[in-house]
Structures are given as C-alpha cells and as structure tokens.
Amino acid sequence: MLAHVFYLLPMPSTTPAWRVNLSSAVFDALAAGMLCAAVGFWSRDTWAGLAAGGAFAFAPLVWQYAVQSEVFALNNLLCAALFLALVRYDASRTLGRACAGAAVAGLALTNQHTAVFFVAPFAVWTLLASASSSRPGAGVLLRPHRLLLLGACGLLGLSPYLFLVVQGGQGAAWGSWGNQRSVSGFLTHLLRREYGTFRLANAPATGHAEFLFRLRLYFGRLPIELPPTGAPLALLGFCWSLTLPGLRRVGLPVACAFGLYVLAFHWLANLPVSTGLYLAIQQRFWPQANLIVCAWFGIGAATAARRLVPRAPGVAAAALAGVLVFWHAGGAGAPKENGAGAGTVSSKENAAGGWWGG
C-alpha cells in the first residue's frame, strides 16, 4: 500500500521499480532517525542518539534491504517507532502516549509478525509500570474504560487489514493471498498459514539442533554490523542501561524484547542455515534485533567517552561518536556480499514477510 504511493510519484525520469525501491530507502532513513530520537530521549544524550542512529543507518544488512523493495525497511521503521513510543511514555505516563503506542503496535503487526516480540514486552511493561508507579496518575491505564480505549487504538493500528477484505474475494488479482472475505480465508492470511505461523516456510522443521548454531551465526555477525569496537561498547551500553538510574526503567523491557526476539526467532526459524540462500533469508530478520544493539552501542559510546574525559564530556562524546560512525559509514557500513547468497530470494518468500510495504 505505501509502496504504491511511491510508485505514483510524479518522477518521469525514473522507472516504477526505482520509485518503489525508494520507499525502502525512505523507511530505513526514518527508522534511523526514530532510533536516534528514542535513544536521545532515553539517555538524555544527543550524541548517544546520533551514534545509535548512525550505527544502524550504515549497517550492511540494513543498507542491503534499504535499496530494494522489501518489507523489512518498513518493519525497522515501525519497530523504531515502538521504541520511541516506549521512551516517550516513560517520560510522561499519560493515556494519550499509551494510546499512540497501542496504535503503532497494531500497525507494526500488520506488516510483520516478528514485531510481536517487541510489542509483547513493551505492552506488559507499560501496564505494570502504570500499576506500580508512584507518579501522579498511577494506575491510569488499568481502569476498564481506558483498557478498552487502548484496545480500540490497537485495532485502529490493525485497520490496514480492512484493505484485504475490500480488495479480496473471488475477483482478487491472480497471485494475491486469496479470498480474505471469508473468515477462514482472512485467518489463513492473518496467521500466514501457507508458510506456517511464526515460521519461515511451510516445510518440516529442521530440528532444534541448529538453534545454537543460528545464535552463534547471529552474534558472530554483530561486529560486522556495528562500527569499530562496537561490540564491546554495545555490551557496556547494555550493562549501563540496566544499572544507571536514568536508564534502567526502560532498559528492562528493551533487554527483554531483545532476548525474546533473538531466542524465539532462532528457535522457530525452520530453514537450514547450512545453505547460503536460507541463511540469507534468516539474516533479513536480524536488523530488528540490531535496532536494540545499536541503541546499546550509542549509550555505551557516549557514556564511555564522558567518563574517560570528565573535563569535556560533551566534546569527548561527540568526537567518539562522530569518528566511529564516520568510519562505519566509509568502510564497514558499505553493502557487501558475505557468501551467504545475499539478495537471492524467491518471490514468494519476498511476499511472506508482510504485504504492507512491498
């Protein structure tokens, strides 16, 4: 739907394919900006936000899918928006900000099932924080009529599914997802039954024996996705996000979202990673978790710089963040082949991730 808007742009010197590919570039650029804002608000450090956004913007996997029509760039944007909504709600726990987060959560779920691994911990934390807070208005979300309002906002976010009902039926275009006007047809699409709910393919599971191998591949790839020294700085940022007073409230649900995503996704993925093509398919889902890793990197880089140079903390944070991100953009951030068959995917798998962005 959104890609079609780019298709209609009055740019006669370009091809339709170029304009649709542009949508992914715009979505990922906005995702980097959203991440920058979220980390800046969370840490109250502009340089931490810029470091996080810059690290994400120039990550090879992000870059690779930001220059082609895919659903993953929009997923990055919506997950970054969820992150920002969480941080903004923590800063001012109002019903309006909670409703905005619920709407974004619903919208994210229309594009990609994997967004649920962010939505679930963020939603649980929001309700628990509302119940346990000593701030004015504590418990404001747990009143029945306000819970109904939150649910309504979530349904509003899910409203793009109505497009399927309107455009589906017996006259639906060839190659579409079938008749969504029937309950069974709609649920088939909603649950991605053709591919298996929360699975990558409608095929027998490869067995959970590859679970640890998948995790090892993911964490082994992280240093490539981050600026130089990014992995240890991200680890420091993770530790500080759970221990520093100004960070740890939001740090807990963020860490839970990362753990849930990485563990659940790699447990449920049912394609063998020993094949380059199938490994590339799984790698396309890694940037969602890397959003959080880049946030930790930004916090780690800015906080470390300020502690190492206490007499000029702002200058130190700016210098370190700028040098690392600039280096990342000029070298490690350039798109590169990794021997995993990157970019070679079937048209059906291209559609499996979601219909909203592609």
Side-chain angles (χ1 to χ4, degrees), residues 234-248:
L235 182 59
L236 283 174
F238 163 72
C239 295
W240 281 325
S241 73
L242 294 176
T243 56
L244 294 180
L247 299 176
R248 61 190 178 199

Side-chain angles (χ1 to χ4, degrees), residues 28 56-68 72 76 218 221-222 224-225 279-280 282-287 290 332-336 338 340 342-343:
D28 260 332
F56 185 78
F58 296 108
L61 282 175
V62 172
W63 194 286
Q64 180 178 336
Y65 292 102
V67 295
Q68 57 182 284
F72 301 102
N76 294 339
Y218 170 73
R221 171 82 187 197
L222 273 181
I224 300 175
E225 297 298 309
L279 174 59
Q282 295 182 54
Q283 286 178 330
R284 301 187 303 174
F285 294 85
W286 290 353
N290 291 353
K336 61 186 74 174
N338 59 12

Side-chain angles (χ1 to χ4, degrees), residues 2 11 26 30 42 44-45 60 65 76 101 115 129 151 162 231 251 254-255 259 308 323 326 328 334:
L2 289 179
M11 303 172 69
V26 171
L30 291 173
W42 180 23
R44 298 179 179 84
D45 190 326
Y65 292 102
N76 294 339
L162 294 176
V254 168
L308 289 172
V323 167
F326 181 79
H328 190 41

Side-chain angles (χ1 to χ4, degrees), residues 23 26 155 187 248 251 300 313 324 330:
S23 68
V26 171
L155 290 174
L187 290 177
R248 61 190 178 199
L324 292 181

Side-chain angles (χ1 to χ4, degrees), residues 139-159:
V140 68
L141 300 183
L142 300 182
R143 298 169 189 171
H145 66 287
R146 297 192 172 182
L147 288 173
L148 287 174
L149 182 58
L150 285 174
C153 290
L155 290 174
L156 179 64
L158 291 169
S159 61

